[in-house]
């Protein structure tokens, strides 16, 4: 191996080490700004010195002379700070941050195999050398604070956060360091690329213990495979013997039977061995799979890396005091989520500091602490990760959001609670003027796009003048997920389990038709029944068969206020799968996330329910006749509810209606009838008027006032025959008013059939 080849090989390791040192430098510089005692400061400076010193040695090893020189100047500054030869200041801190940004920026060309120009960092090194030559004229801020315990904390905070002087970074330095400008650069006005669940190109650090476990599992799996090969070799002579025996025959019938029995016995023994080996392979593969999955997990801390620095720089730029708190940093998430969540959280944090949190003066006027608080928190919930970004600032300005939406011609929701969701629309902004950080109306649209591409959701809750909280919900992994397998026709499909609330098998007779659409009663809610095959455009549910039941999957989408019931041909079970992308040729297939393989190796599409239901609710998918489940009148018995306090009258009406082909339930008064309506699916109510407790008029009024039952047909059948009683019944909402003394059997049946048409 040549010397240059050795350097190139070492360079990959060096880039990883460089990033670790940059993280240490950023973290400790931020902490140094907030140090309040000499002991704290000295500990941090020692850590900073060690990082700079190690980086200098590593740069020398790979012959990066410009980077070695820059690290040396940084190291000298920390030595001077540690020995008291140099005083800390906001200007010096800002200069050190610029230097760290310059170091971080070198990782990009170095990783690509490019070299650094010899004159790199010349001006920056001169600025660091100039800072080193400044005389000591004052105590360090932390020493001053320790000596003067009575100094106001707000004043100390203001000194730490005050913008650096013009001499903080010499002219041209910031322009030559792209990373130094990253904290205040505008977010691109385009949505981020779709997350790569495979993590291709990402380097993974693996512990030796994990490698040992994986090697052990791999060895066990290899041995099981070898046993399978041996079994296959054993089969070959048996098959050859069977073939010869069949072709040549045996010398006698008895010998033929003995030979056949021997072959069968050997095959039985081999089948037992195969089953044992299959169990062994499964036992070896499951732990191996678990270990490999564990390798993909990283702490949520990686999402938060760099946030403290971003918040610090934005606070300095805007003259605000901001404290960033993080929680759940040790929570392990799939590494495929890191880039998605980091981009979204970064945008939300920038928005919060830019125009969510107020200046110190405005916060004091509002009775708040001068320092604003921003919290990023992660937690596990069910089969997903919940990330919240909350600030105690001024909240969302609903009037400004509505005005922005109106200017763009976007319809304003009638529900005021939905106005806040307008902030996720493209072009919507709640600030009057744009700056380098926000106000262009693209930030939250970018967040929503990124999270939805990761099969997640984003919501917001805001209290004007008090707080704003954005909640991101994403699955535990983008590459693996738990699905419900269903059958549509002869093909299997998969639904992401996080969208599924319930699976039901209901009698077709329990479906009710309301405004031309079939609905099913689930608990106390009446849910629309949608034919999934019709939604996908692959056929239509056929219920005109001998079957009298229907498989329903109750799902909820982010855009639906209530769940929906999807009719499917069969429910096959729940499985954990590895999601495979469709590839470029099939990337535009609608309503499909990707595919997985079933145990027979056949592809199974994984449906995108959020997109599918969103298009249906938005009207992009029309409501054809096949979407409402087609059940012929001959197949379904309509269910009637008879309500009368007289047992004799009630029994008479029940018998009459059953003989006419109806299914009949009965109740003794309005209160019991109302309870039964909330427990059973009913097509029509036949009720007496005068009953103890809740009478027929009150029952009819309650039915018409109920969203769930307001379309239910009601016939009042009573002995009260005055015009006033008739008007009272019709005004209450009855569809028909029949007098018991005058009605005929045919009239009642005809009225019921007319109302059920």
């Amino acid at each position: 191996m040549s010397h240059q080849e050795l350097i190139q090989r070492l360079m990959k390791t060096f880039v990883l080490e460089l990033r670790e040192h940059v993280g240490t430098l950023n973290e400790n510089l931020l902490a140094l700004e907030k140090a309040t005692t000499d002991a704290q400061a000295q500990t941090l400076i020692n850590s900073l010195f060690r990082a700079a010193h190690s980086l200098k040695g590593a740069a020398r090893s790979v012959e990066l002379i410009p980077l070695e020189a820059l690290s040396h100047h940084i190291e000298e500054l920390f030595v001077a700070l540690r020995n008291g030869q140099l005083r800390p200041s906001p200007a010096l801190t800002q200069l050190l941050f610029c230097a760290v940004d310059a170091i971080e920026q070198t990782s990009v060309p170095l990783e690509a195999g490019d070299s650094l120009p010899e004159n790199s960092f010349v001006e920056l090194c001169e600025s660091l050398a100039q800072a080193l030559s400044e005389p000591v004229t004052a105590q360090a801020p932390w020493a001053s604070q320790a000596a003067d315990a009575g100094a106001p904390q707000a004043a100390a905070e203001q000194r730490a956060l005050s913008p650096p002087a013009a001499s903080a970074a010499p002219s041209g330095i910031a322009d030559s360091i792209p990373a130094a400008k990253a904290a205040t650069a505008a977010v691109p006005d385009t949505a981020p690329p779709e997350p790569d669940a495979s993590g291709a190109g990402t380097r993974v650090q693996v512990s030796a213990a994990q490698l040992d476990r994986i090697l052990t599992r791999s060895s066990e799996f290899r041995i099981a495979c070898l046993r399978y090969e041996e079994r296959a070799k054993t089969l070959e002579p048996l098959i050859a013997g069977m073939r010869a025996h069949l072709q040549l025959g045996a010398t006698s019938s008895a010998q033929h039977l003995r030979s056949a029995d021997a072959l069968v016995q050997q095959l039985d023994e081999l089948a037992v061995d195969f089953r044992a080996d299959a169990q062994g392979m499964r036992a070896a593969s499951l732990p191996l799979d678990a270990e490999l999955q564990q390798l993909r997990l990283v702490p949520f801390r990686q999402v938060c890396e760099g946030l403290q620095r971003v918040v610090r720089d934005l606070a300095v730029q805007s003259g605000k005091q901001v404290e960033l708190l993080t929680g759940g940093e040790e929570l392990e998430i799939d590494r495929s989520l890191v880039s998605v969540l980091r981009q979204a959280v970064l945008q939300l944090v920038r928005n919060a500091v830019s125009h969510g949190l107020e200046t110190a003066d405005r916060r004091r006027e509002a009775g708040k602490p001068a320092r604003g608080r921003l919290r990023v928190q992660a937690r596990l919930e069910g089969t997903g990760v919940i990330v919240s970004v909350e600030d105690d600032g001024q909240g969302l300005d609903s009037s400004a959001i509505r005005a922005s939406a109106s200017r763009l011609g976007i319809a304003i929701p009638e529900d005021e609670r939905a106005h806040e969701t307008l902030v996720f629309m493209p072009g919507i902004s709640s600030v009057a003027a744009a700056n380098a950080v926000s106000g262009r109306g693209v930030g939250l649209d970018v967040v929503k796009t990124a999270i939805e591409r990761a099969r997640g959701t984003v919501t917001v809750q805001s209290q004007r003048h008090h707080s704003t909280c954005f909640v991101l919900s994403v699955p535990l992994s983008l590459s693996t997920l738990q699905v419900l397998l269903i059958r549509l026709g002869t093909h299997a499909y998969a639904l992401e389990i996080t969208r599924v609330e319930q699976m039901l098998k209901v009698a077709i007779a329990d479906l009710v038709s309301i405004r031309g659409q079939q609905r099913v009663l689930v608990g106390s809610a009446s849910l629309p029944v949608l034919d999934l095959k019709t939604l996908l455009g692959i056929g239509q549910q056929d219920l005109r068969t001998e079957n009298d039941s229907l498989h329903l999957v109750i799902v909820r989408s982010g855009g639906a206020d209530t769940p929906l019931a999807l009719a499917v041909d069969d429910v096959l079970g729940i499985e954990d799968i590895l999601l495979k992308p469709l590839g470029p040729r099939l990337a535009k297939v609608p309503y499909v996330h990707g595919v997985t393989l079933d145990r027979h190796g056949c592809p199974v599409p994984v449906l995108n329910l959020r997109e599918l239901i969103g298009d249906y609710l938005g009207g992009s998918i029309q409501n054809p006749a096949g979407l409402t489940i087609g059940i012929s009148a001959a197949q379904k018995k309509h269910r009637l509810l008879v309500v009368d306090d007289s047992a004799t009258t009630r029994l008479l009406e029940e018998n009459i209606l059953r003989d006419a082909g109806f299914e009949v339930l009965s109740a003794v008064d309005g209160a019991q009838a109302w309870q039964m309506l909330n427990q059973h699916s009913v097509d029509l109510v036949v009720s007496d008027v005068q009953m103890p407790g809740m009478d027929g008029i009150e029952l009819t009024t309650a039915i018409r006032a109920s969203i769930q039952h307001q379309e239910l047909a009601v016939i009042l059948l009573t002995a009260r025959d005055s015009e006033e009683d008739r008007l009272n019944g019709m005004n209450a909402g009855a569809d028909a008013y029949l007098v018991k003394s005058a009605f005929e059997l045919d009239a009642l049946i005809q009225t019921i059939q007319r109302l059920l048409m």
Side-chain angles (χ1 to χ4, degrees):
M1 180 185 299
S2 68
H3 177 71
Q4 192 60 33
E5 289 174 338
L6 176 62
I7 293 297
Q8 288 298 323
R9 176 172 293 187
L10 290 175
M11 192 64 70
K12 295 179 180 180
T13 303
F14 171 75
V15 170
L16 293 175
E17 185 179 353
L18 178 147
R19 286 171 175 157
E20 290 180 3
H21 290 316
V22 165
T24 300
L25 290 168
N26 267 319
E27 181 180 348
N28 288 316
L29 279 174
L30 287 166
L32 185 62
E33 280 192 313
K34 302 174 183 177
T36 56
T37 66
D38 287 331
Q40 290 176 349
Q42 286 299 325
T43 299
L44 292 168
I45 290 173
N46 286 334
S47 177
L48 288 163
F49 167 78
R50 287 192 297 271
H53 181 76
S54 298
L55 183 60
K56 180 179 72 172
R60 184 188 306 116
S61 299
V62 290
E63 299 179 355
L64 293 175
I65 305 305
L67 190 54
E68 178 190 357
L70 178 58
S71 301
H72 174 73
H73 281 87
I74 296 173
E75 179 187 30
E76 289 293 302
L77 279 176
F78 290 138
V79 171
L81 283 170
R82 184 176 60 185
N83 298 336
Q85 299 168 348
L86 187 66
R87 66 177 180 86
S89 67
L92 179 60
T93 304
Q94 187 64 29
L95 180 59
L96 286 169
F97 273 128
C98 287
V100 173
D101 287 342
I103 294 172
E104 182 179 25
Q105 200 67 15
T106 62
S107 65
V108 177
L110 292 177
E111 193 170 33
D114 299 332
S115 59
L116 296 180
E118 292 185 3
N119 60 349
S120 300
F121 318 125
V122 171
E123 187 176 357
L124 187 53
C125 289
E126 291 175 354
S127 299
L128 292 168
Q130 181 181 350
L132 187 62
S133 65
E134 290 184 359
V136 179
T137 58
Q139 280 185 305
W142 51 82
S144 300
Q145 292 174 16
D148 185 9
Q153 179 66 22
E157 293 172 351
Q158 186 59 45
R159 285 197 300 273
L161 290 171
S162 58
S167 60
S171 173
I173 290 182
D175 291 337
S176 66
I177 309 171
K181 300 184 287 183
T184 55
V187 176
D189 289 2
T190 57
E194 189 162 353
D196 180 9
S198 66
T202 303
R203 292 187 175 88
V204 180
Q205 292 183 330
V206 183
S207 68
Q210 282 179 309
L211 280 177
D212 289 341
R213 289 196 299 269
I214 290 173
L215 287 173
T216 300
R217 301 298 185 192
S218 177
S219 176
E220 293 172 354
F221 193 71
R222 182 175 56 83
I223 292 172
C225 291
L226 290 174
R227 285 203 303 267
Y228 245 65
E229 291 177 5
E230 290 301 316
R231 303 299 182 204
K233 292 178 182 178
T234 306
L235 267 179
E236 292 174 1
L238 288 176
I239 294 172
M242 180 70 80
R243 182 179 294 111
H245 184 73
L246 292 174
Q247 289 176 349
L248 301 177
T251 58
S252 68
S253 177
Q255 183 178 354
H256 178 84
L257 291 175
R258 284 195 299 272
S259 299
D261 287 342
L263 286 172
V264 169
Q265 184 177 355
Q266 288 178 291
L267 288 173
D268 285 341
E269 292 173 355
L270 191 59
V272 171
D273 291 338
F274 263 120
R275 283 193 291 269
D277 288 345
Q279 292 176 353
M281 291 182 70
R282 182 174 179 81
S285 66
L286 289 178
L288 178 61
D289 183 65
E291 292 287 353
L292 291 173
Q293 292 294 335
Q294 192 70 23
L295 285 181
R296 292 190 60 84
L297 298 181
V298 295
F300 179 73
R301 179 177 60 252
Q302 291 193 11
V303 174
C304 300
E305 286 177 354
L307 285 183
Q308 291 283 0
R309 172 67 190 280
V310 170
V311 170
R312 179 261 178 199
D313 288 349
L314 288 173
V316 168
Q317 180 191 16
S318 57
K320 298 177 180 179
Q321 300 178 26
V322 182
E323 178 185 17
L324 174 65
L325 303 175
T326 56
E329 290 193 337
E330 298 308 314
L331 175 69
E332 290 189 323
I333 63 175
D334 192 276
R335 66 179 63 252
S336 60
L337 291 172
V338 172
S339 61
V340 179
L341 289 176
R342 179 184 290 159
Q343 191 273 340
V345 169
L346 176 62
Q347 180 64 59
L348 294 174
V349 164
R350 291 162 63 85
N351 280 6
V353 178
S354 176
H355 57 265
L357 294 167
E358 312 94 330
T359 62
D361 291 340
R362 288 189 59 187
R363 291 181 63 84
R364 293 191 187 99
E365 291 173 1
K368 298 180 180 181
R371 182 184 292 273
R373 177 166 291 185
L374 178 58
R375 183 184 297 273
V376 178
Q377 181 88 23
R379 70 180 189 276
L380 288 179
E381 187 172 293
T383 57
V385 180
I386 305 297
V387 179
S388 60
V389 180
E390 183 176 10
D391 67 76
D392 64 349
Q394 56 191 338
L396 295 178
D397 186 346
S398 296
S399 59
I401 293 172
R402 288 194 301 270
S404 181
S406 297
R407 286 193 298 270
L408 295 174
I410 298 175
I412 309 297
E414 295 182 3
D415 187 355
E416 292 186 3
R417 294 172 298 180
H419 291 176
E420 293 174 349
T421 61
L422 290 171
V423 297
F424 298 112
M425 300 291 290
I428 298 293
S429 177
S430 61
V431 294
N435 56 32
V437 180
S438 58
R440 303 181 187 276
V442 296
L444 296 181
D445 175 38
V446 167
V447 171
K448 183 172 182 289
T449 300
I451 295 301
E452 288 185 348
R453 281 180 175 173
R455 307 195 310 274
T457 60
V458 55
T459 59
V460 59
Q461 291 182 339
S462 179
Q463 186 177 1
R464 187 64 174 146
H465 305 302
H466 287 86
S467 64
T468 302
C469 181
F470 289 89
V471 178
L472 312 175
S473 175
V474 293
L476 285 174
S477 171
L478 297 185
S479 56
T480 59
L481 67 156
Q482 195 174 53
V483 297
L484 174 69
L485 293 176
I486 61 170
R487 181 177 60 82
L488 299 176
T490 59
H491 299 285
Y493 293 82
L495 308 177
E496 192 173 351
I497 201 68
T498 55
R499 302 284 183 185
V500 176
E501 290 195 350
Q502 194 175 356
M503 288 123 9
L504 299 174
K505 188 175 183 180
V506 301
I508 293 174
D510 286 337
L511 300 181
V512 294
S513 179
I514 298 178
R515 295 178 181 175
Q517 184 181 57
Q518 296 294 332
R519 302 180 77 88
V520 63
L521 190 65
V522 180
S524 59
S526 175
L527 308 183
V529 179
L530 308 180
D531 179 10
L532 185 53
K533 285 196 289 191
T534 304
L535 283 176
L536 294 171
I538 59 173
Q540 181 175 343
Q541 190 76 24
D542 182 14
L543 298 182
R544 295 178 176 85
T545 66
E546 67 279 2
N547 297 328
D548 59 356
S549 61
L550 182 66
H551 290 282
L552 297 178
V553 180
I554 312 302
V555 300
R556 185 187 294 273
S557 176
D561 295 330
T562 58
L564 304 171
L566 299 180
V568 302
D569 291 328
D570 198 4
V571 175
L572 305 178
I574 297 174
E575 288 191 11
D576 295 316
I577 66 160
L578 178 66
L579 183 67
K580 298 178 179 293
L582 290 175
R585 293 186 179 181
L586 299 176
K588 294 184 179 180
V589 174
Y591 313 132
V592 177
H593 272 311
V595 295
T596 187
L597 298 178
D598 64 14
R599 60 188 59 194
H600 304 294
C602 298
V604 177
V606 181
L607 300 181
N608 185 340
L609 283 181
R610 181 193 61 79
E611 181 180 330
L612 177 64
I613 296 175
D615 281 359
Y616 168 73
L617 295 174
S620 299
I621 300 177
Q622 297 303 314
N623 188 4
L627 191 58
T628 56
I629 307 303
I631 305 174
S632 64
Q635 270 191 292
K636 176 180 175 180
K637 282 188 175 183
H638 287 288
R639 181 181 290 167
L640 311 183
L641 175 60
V642 171
V643 190
D644 201 303
D645 60 327
S646 168
T648 303
T649 303
R650 192 170 61 248
L651 183 59
L652 173 64
E653 293 175 4
E654 287 182 40
N655 289 331
I656 291 173
L657 296 174
R658 284 199 181 98
D659 289 343
F662 298 107
E663 182 181 348
V664 182
L665 302 176
S666 63
V668 300
D669 57 24
Q672 186 184 21
W674 180 254
Q675 184 178 4
M676 294 183 71
L677 284 175
N678 290 315
Q679 294 175 345
H680 302 279
S681 174
V682 173
D683 298 306
L684 183 143
V685 174
V686 179
S687 176
D688 188 16
V689 171
Q690 194 169 7
M691 295 179 291
M694 178 184 281
D695 61 25
I697 299 295
E698 293 170 334
L699 174 61
T700 304
T701 303
I703 289 173
R704 293 293 173 253
S706 167
I707 296 177
Q708 179 179 341
H709 306 301
Q710 62 184 357
E711 300 295 327
L712 187 62
V714 178
I715 297 175
L716 292 179
L717 185 60
T718 176
R720 303 174 68 92
D721 59 355
S722 71
E723 187 62 27
E724 181 181 354
D725 291 327
R726 184 184 298 274
L727 288 174
N728 288 339
M730 302 307 289
N731 289 336
D735 295 282
Y737 190 97
L738 302 179
V739 180
K740 290 181 179 179
S741 60
F743 92 96
E744 297 178 356
L745 175 60
D746 290 343
L748 175 60
I749 301 300
Q750 289 173 5
T751 303
I752 292 174
Q753 290 175 341
R754 174 176 59 82
L755 293 175
L756 291 177
M757 289 180 60

